[in-house]
Amino acid sequence: MAPFHIDDGTGSDTTGDGSIEKPYQSLGLAVLNHGTTASFLIRKDANSTYEEPTQSSLKKAKKTADGLEKKRKKAEELAEREAKEKGEEKEKRDKLWEESKKIVLKEDASLPAAVRAKITGLADLRSKRVRVFGWIHRLRQQKDLIFIVLRDGTGYLQSVLSGELTRSYDALTLNVESSVELVGTLQPVPEGKIAPGGHELVVDFWRLLGVSPGGDDAFTNKLNEQSDPSIMADLRHLVLRGETASSVLRLRSFMLSAFRQSLTSHNIIEVTPPCLVQTQVEGGATLFKLDYYGQPAFLTQSSQLYLETCLPSLGDVFCVQESFRAENSHTRRHLSEYTHLEAELAFITFDDLMTHIENVICETVDILLANPVSAALIKQLNPDFVAPSRPFIRLPYVDAIKWLNEHKIQHPAEDAEGNVIKDEGGNPKMVDHAVGDDIAEAAERQMTDIIGKPVFLHGFPAELKAFYMKKIRDGSGKTTFTESCDLLMPNVGEIVGGSMRIADMDELLEGYKREGIDASPYYWFTDQRKYGTCEHGGYGLGVERFLAWLANRYTVRECSLYPRWPGRATP
């Protein structure tokens, strides 16, 4: 019989077979596999020659082989026992599942009739039998016990299933986000225990209404706190089921109601302007263009022009409408589609306008804080929130330029074409601000965060603002600045932009001309100056920005149901 080869250096006890091409690494394994009567040749490494092992090394190898044999038998016995146990466990589980399929849960007709209710309305039904519907928000299963936190969109309910209710096939295969019907007695939680609403449902009957998958498709495998932002955006429909996302949207609803309550208390009426338009408001570069039955049309940038036409008939008006800006901006406070709360007020001054904006914002916050539900949402999302104090700071644009330079806040230099000038190292060349500069978002936000209070920045240069804004004339008759303002909030920046509007028709026509706008499509807007003009002004508030400030969200994308930004129009 040919000898078996062992190479201490390059052999392998895993892949070796004892041939000269595939030697073993240890003599002990070779003896275990082929016995002591076989022939062996051994060497230390590839540079040595094969020789017969000594008697002492064979004796030592025999002991090693005996030890390996014991380990092998023990491993085989363990594997056999585990396989048997797994088989018994599988058999037991299969039997349990087969038995579970025979269990048919029926509601006990002898019990008092259950009152159907939403979770938010359960407080008055304690000690009574109730019927609730919802989705499984959290799930914990024990022997003969299943703990469920149910969610129905109005709140959360702790529930417990026991006994036969936990042994049905639906119970054994239950997963998070399944929709269910739960029936049982609502009981206060024991002293020292905590549960949503201070009570829990002791279930006596339940039904699975909509199954949710397990395994790779399980809800908890789809999303977690470490999920990539792009995945979170793709799965926004699932993100909305989370406590934080749903709380933000719930607060948004309360916030819009509070705004409407404040505005209507000032006798301002709500109207609904169109989103499909054929005129621009904030410059043609940011228009979304589309074909409208063979005619060019746009998605509206602002409803302001339409609101102005309502003043003579309805008085002061406001709207809550979507606006669209085709800006290729990816900042945390920009959206391509956003909710725009806009208002127009007649027979006012510029000071009146800023005072009105301040009043509406403070009243809205007061309404939210006075409501226990919305106040709790603010506390949950923004524990350190403090209502803004009045009056808001009013900072002229020229003074803001001085403030920025005094605080060493610079901005990138630009050439005549608007391109950023870079230094020798390829970094933007930073320069001081000068009157006439459009204060950049970063500098504006930095200033606001340092001041730490709401700031009305007002009196911007005319060349930076839209054609319809009223000009401030200095002693020389020049129209250098506008009666315009931006309201800046800490951590967010601009949330409101407003101005007095041009009341004189000739001045408005000159504004069209200066901006290169054909006045003819605007006849209906220009007519407001022809048929009884008046001093008037208005503003636009970004709902998502205001909510980001209120709820302390990092980005406005968290404050929209399905946010849209450049490159994102799904789901």
Side-chain angles (χ1 to χ4, degrees):
M1 180 182 288
F4 295 98
H5 296 77
I6 301 94
D7 187 322
D8 290 342
T10 60
S12 172
D13 287 343
T14 304
T15 59
D17 59 11
S19 65
I20 195 167
E21 294 85 7
K22 298 171 67 177
Y24 291 113
Q25 186 179 38
S26 65
L27 181 58
L29 184 69
V31 170
L32 174 65
N33 289 342
H34 305 290
T36 54
T37 58
S39 298
F40 303 100
L41 293 176
I42 189 170
R43 68 181 182 183
K44 291 184 177 181
D45 52 51
N47 296 322
S48 306
T49 56
Y50 281 106
E51 297 179 355
E52 291 186 0
T54 63
Q55 287 300 313
S56 60
S57 61
L58 278 172
K59 187 175 181 181
K60 185 177 179 181
K62 177 65 170 62
K63 289 183 178 180
T64 301
D66 290 343
L68 290 172
E69 179 63 19
K70 288 180 181 179
K71 286 184 179 180
R72 179 182 287 180
K73 286 183 178 180
K74 189 174 181 179
E76 289 175 352
E77 290 173 359
L78 180 62
E80 186 179 344
R81 186 166 66 250
E82 287 180 348
K84 183 179 179 182
E85 289 175 353
K86 284 183 178 179
E88 291 174 350
E89 185 180 331
K90 184 178 183 301
E91 185 179 343
K92 183 179 179 181
R93 185 171 64 250
D94 290 345
K95 184 179 179 181
L96 182 66
W97 281 24
E98 286 303 315
E99 291 296 320
S100 73
K101 293 176 181 177
K102 299 176 184 177
I103 296 176
V104 179
L105 300 178
K106 293 184 178 180
E107 189 171 353
D108 190 342
S110 67
L111 294 174
V115 179
R116 179 168 177 169
K118 294 286 188 180
I119 291 175
T120 191
L122 290 177
D124 295 331
L125 295 173
R126 289 181 182 175
S127 302
K128 295 183 179 180
R129 196 161 175 267
V130 299
R131 185 184 310 274
V132 291
F133 298 81
W135 290 263
I136 296 178
H137 190 64
R138 291 193 182 90
L139 176 67
R140 182 161 55 92
Q141 294 171 304
Q142 297 178 354
K143 186 177 181 181
D144 288 337
L145 284 175
I146 296 178
F147 297 94
I148 290 173
V149 174
L150 191 71
R151 181 190 74 242
D152 73 348
T154 71
Y156 300 90
L157 174 64
Q158 182 171 294
S159 312
V160 58
L161 285 64
S162 60
E164 191 174 53
L165 298 180
T166 69
R167 301 186 194 115
S168 69
Y169 182 78
D170 286 344
L172 296 179
T173 58
L174 198 58
N175 291 306
V176 167
E177 290 303 322
S178 296
S179 54
V180 295
E181 173 189 358
L182 302 182
V183 184
T185 304
L186 192 67
Q187 297 183 351
V189 294
E191 189 174 345
K193 301 290 185 180
I194 298 175
H199 45 238
E200 70 177 5
L201 185 67
V202 179
V203 179
D204 58 58
F205 171 74
W206 77 283
R207 283 193 303 145
L208 176 65
L209 303 177
V211 67
S212 182
D216 292 340
D217 278 339
F219 184 85
T220 49
N221 290 331
K222 286 282 187 180
L223 286 171
N224 57 62
E225 293 179 358
Q226 286 74 43
S227 293
D228 184 88
S230 63
I231 294 176
M232 300 280 273
D234 288 338
L235 300 180
R236 178 69 176 167
H237 61 294
L238 299 181
V239 171
L240 295 177
R241 300 187 181 204
E243 292 176 29
T244 298
S246 60
S247 294
V248 170
L249 293 177
R250 189 169 285 111
L251 178 58
R252 177 185 169 116
S253 175
F254 281 104
M255 185 188 78
L256 288 173
S257 295
F259 267 121
R260 286 186 165 99
Q261 183 178 335
S262 172
L263 288 161
T264 54
S265 73
H266 291 280
N267 297 311
I268 305 175
I269 190 170
E270 184 172 4
V271 295
T272 308
C275 282
L276 284 170
V277 301
Q278 291 185 305
T279 50
Q280 68 183 51
V281 183
E282 299 295 334
T286 62
L287 285 168
F288 281 108
K289 190 174 182 179
L290 54 95
D291 181 276
Y292 186 70
Y293 302 106
Q295 302 177 53
F298 314 101
L299 296 176
T300 187
Q301 300 165 312
S302 167
S303 298
Q304 175 208 319
L305 306 189
Y306 293 98
L307 293 179
E308 288 190 45
T309 68
C310 298
L311 294 177
S313 56
L314 300 174
D316 299 341
V317 290
F318 78 96
C319 72
V320 180
Q321 184 67 283
E322 299 306 292
S323 285
F324 304 84
R325 302 283 172 90
E327 295 178 90
N328 192 20
S329 178
H330 294 263
T331 75
R332 59 190 177 99
R333 69 175 195 176
H334 278 88
L335 291 170
S336 298
E337 175 188 3
Y338 66 97
T339 305
H340 212 174
L341 189 156
E342 298 182 85
E344 289 294 320
L345 314 172
F347 304 106
I348 61 168
T349 67
F350 187 40
D351 281 340
D352 293 337
L353 177 64
M354 288 190 284
T355 299
H356 164 83
I357 294 170
E358 179 179 313
N359 288 339
V360 167
I361 283 176
C362 291
E363 289 168 8
T364 298
V365 171
D366 289 343
I367 292 168
L368 290 169
L369 293 178
N371 182 326
V373 179
S374 54
L377 287 169
I378 293 172
K379 184 68 175 177
Q380 171 195 337
L381 296 165
N382 189 2
D384 299 324
F385 179 78
V386 177
S389 58
R390 305 193 213 185
F392 292 174
I393 296 170
R394 297 188 181 185
L395 181 65
Y397 165 86
V398 173
D399 292 344
I401 294 294
K402 294 178 183 177
W403 190 98
L404 290 168
N405 291 334
E406 288 171 358
H407 288 76
K408 312 293 185 187
I409 298 174
Q410 298 181 308
H411 70 100
E414 295 181 351
D415 60 23
E417 284 75 36
N419 301 310
V420 174
I421 300 172
K422 296 185 178 181
D423 59 22
E424 294 178 355
N427 300 310
K429 182 181 178 182
M430 304 301 289
V431 295
D432 288 342
H433 287 81
V435 174
D437 290 342
D438 189 0
I439 300 175
E441 176 191 343
E444 186 179 80
R445 192 166 61 240
Q446 192 175 352
M447 178 180 68
T448 311
D449 291 348
I450 291 172
I451 294 173
K453 297 178 181 179
V455 177
F456 272 116
L457 190 58
H458 64 89
F460 294 93
E463 59 269 21
L464 300 179
K465 291 299 179 179
F467 70 90
Y468 53 77
M469 293 189 180
K470 184 178 179 180
K471 311 301 184 295
I472 302 172
R473 297 185 183 276
D474 60 18
S476 64
K478 295 179 180 178
T479 55
T480 308
F481 299 100
T482 56
E483 286 192 335
S484 60
C485 64
D486 288 346
L487 178 59
L488 314 178
M489 287 293 195
N491 301 320
V492 177
E494 179 193 345
I495 62 168
V496 179
S499 76
M500 295 299 290
R501 317 310 194 189
I502 293 174
D504 180 77
M505 187 165 69
D506 290 337
E507 187 179 346
L508 179 60
L509 292 172
E510 183 60 34
Y512 293 140
K513 184 177 179 181
R514 185 181 65 252
E515 297 296 327
I517 297 173
D518 180 6
S520 56
Y522 292 83
Y523 70 92
W524 50 274
F525 177 66
T526 310
D527 273 357
Q528 305 309 307
R529 281 77 183 166
K530 181 178 180 180
Y531 294 95
T533 190
C534 71
E535 292 296 325
H536 63 288
Y539 59 92
L541 178 145
V543 167
E544 289 81 9
R545 290 188 184 183
F546 189 89
L547 182 56
W549 167 72
L550 188 66
N552 194 29
R553 297 297 95 190
Y554 176 74
T555 170
V556 293
R557 295 176 185 179
E558 296 181 57
C559 301
S560 173
L561 182 64
Y562 285 97
R564 299 292 185 247
W565 66 88
R568 169 64 61 178
T570 55

